[in-house]
Amino acid sequence: MDNMTSVFIPVVVLGGLGFAFALLLSYASKVFHVAVDRKVEEVRAALPGANCGACGFPGCDGLAKAIALDGASISSCPIGGQALVEKLAEIMGQDAVETTKEVAVVMCQGDDDKAGIKYNYQGIADCRSMAALQGGNKICNYGCLGGATCQSVCDFDAIRMENGLAVIDRDKCTACMRCIDICPQRIIDLVPYDMISVVKCKSYASGRDVRGACKVGCIGCKQCVRQYPEGFVVEDFLAKAVYDIKDIDQEKLDNAIAKCPPKCIYPGLQLKEEADRKKAAEKAAKEKEKAAEEKKEEEIKAS
């Protein structure tokens, strides 16, 4: 009997306490309930829900309140694009403003084969740790270190590593800026989505120093400016593409890309490598054809 009592009493007490706390919490939820503005809920439902913080507010909840209650811009979210702006304009009773879609681009092409190496790094695979050690293992102080730190913070699977170089998929990028904020080299920029040709280099070193550090770095020769003065500028030894051109002169742009000595204007390097592969394939085909003809001649002679 004593054993039953020793078990029954604690059960009753705990059950009673649980019931009492449940009543207390139910009462508190009604007393301290804060009504949510309907527009806040509608705006929040329209937002993508990435909670990336690129808008400058604490997640999508914070942005929803700012738009609905505090007059924040309906174009604050960089992820949603024009479709989201139009949806929010409908909810808020505003005119939809035209937005320019942007994507992040790694302004470097110096992978492990093209960039000179100072030392073999053996440590944590993190660009911040690598940069803390003599500015990284590459001779160029402005290049991608290949530690994949940007890739680790991308929630949209938009960044991949290719031979020690970060490459961003422009169709997956949402311009959340996480990679930009975390890169210790500051070599990731936002550019307009429609701007295909960019100078993929951030080195402000002189042309002589760049040549000694990287095969595809900008040497500040101004050849691009000569070919397309409206499309490029050179400042402090570094060429930059002009992004706010309304009508791109494709012929001048193609000439600038072709004339660039180190092929640092994208997609100049890719076009050169493709041409080299095609040339090598044609050479191999000719050599194979020549060998086949020589073998045939030898067989004729032997017969």
Side-chain angles (χ1 to χ4, degrees), residues 43 53 62 69 81 94 100 111 126 163 198 209-210 240 252 261:
V43 172
L69 305 177
Q94 301 177 13
T100 300
D111 60 20
D126 185 282
N163 196 23
V198 294
D209 290 339
V210 170
K240 298 177 182 178
K252 288 184 177 180

Side-chain angles (χ1 to χ4, degrees), residues 16-242:
L17 287 173
F19 182 72
F21 282 128
L23 291 175
L24 181 62
L25 289 173
S26 177
Y27 175 75
S29 66
K30 294 180 179 179
V31 172
F32 298 106
H33 173 70
V34 178
V36 179
D37 190 286
R38 184 177 177 181
K39 277 196 174 180
V40 174
E41 292 181 337
E42 291 179 357
V43 172
R44 179 63 184 85
L47 293 175
N51 291 312
C52 61
C55 58
F57 295 94
C60 292
D61 288 339
L63 177 58
K65 292 178 182 178
I67 291 175
L69 305 177
D70 300 328
S73 173
I74 57 176
S75 61
S76 297
C77 176
I79 296 177
Q82 189 64 31
L84 175 61
V85 172
E86 292 175 359
K87 179 65 176 178
L88 294 179
E90 181 182 345
I91 294 172
M92 298 301 298
Q94 301 177 13
D95 293 330
V97 295
E98 187 174 351
T99 60
T100 300
K101 179 177 174 58
E102 294 183 313
V103 292
V105 175
V106 178
M107 298 299 189
C108 178
Q109 297 183 113
D111 60 20
D112 290 343
D113 294 329
K114 301 178 183 70
I117 303 299
K118 287 189 291 189
Y119 59 86
N120 292 323
Y121 176 80
Q122 295 180 347
I124 301 173
D126 185 282
C127 294
R128 294 163 295 183
S129 299
M130 298 170 75
L133 186 60
Q134 298 181 18
N137 66 327
K138 292 184 178 178
I139 297 174
C140 177
N141 293 323
Y142 305 91
C144 176
L145 300 178
T149 305
C150 54
Q151 183 185 41
S152 68
V153 299
C154 181
D155 292 331
F156 305 97
D157 193 30
I159 303 177
R160 63 184 185 276
M161 301 304 298
E162 294 183 357
N163 196 23
L165 180 70
V167 179
I168 299 177
D169 187 330
R170 60 200 309 276
D171 292 319
K172 291 183 178 180
C173 177
T174 60
C176 70
M177 296 181 64
R178 286 186 176 179
C179 58
I180 293 175
D181 293 336
I182 205 167
C183 176
Q185 299 296 85
R186 297 292 180 260
I187 59 169
I188 306 178
D189 291 345
L190 282 182
V191 305
Y193 178 84
D194 295 332
M195 194 70 186
I196 303 298
S197 297
V198 294
V199 179
K200 283 198 170 184
C201 182
K202 292 280 279 189
S203 176
Y204 291 97
S206 66
R208 179 180 178 181
D209 290 339
V210 170
R211 286 192 183 95
C214 182
K215 297 177 182 177
V216 290
C218 177
I219 57 177
C221 65
K222 298 185 179 181
Q223 189 64 250
C224 55
V225 177
R226 295 188 190 96
Q227 299 298 323
Y228 194 6
E230 303 87 2
F232 295 91
V233 294
V234 174
E235 299 174 353
D236 298 328
F237 304 109
L238 179 62
K240 298 177 182 178
V242 178

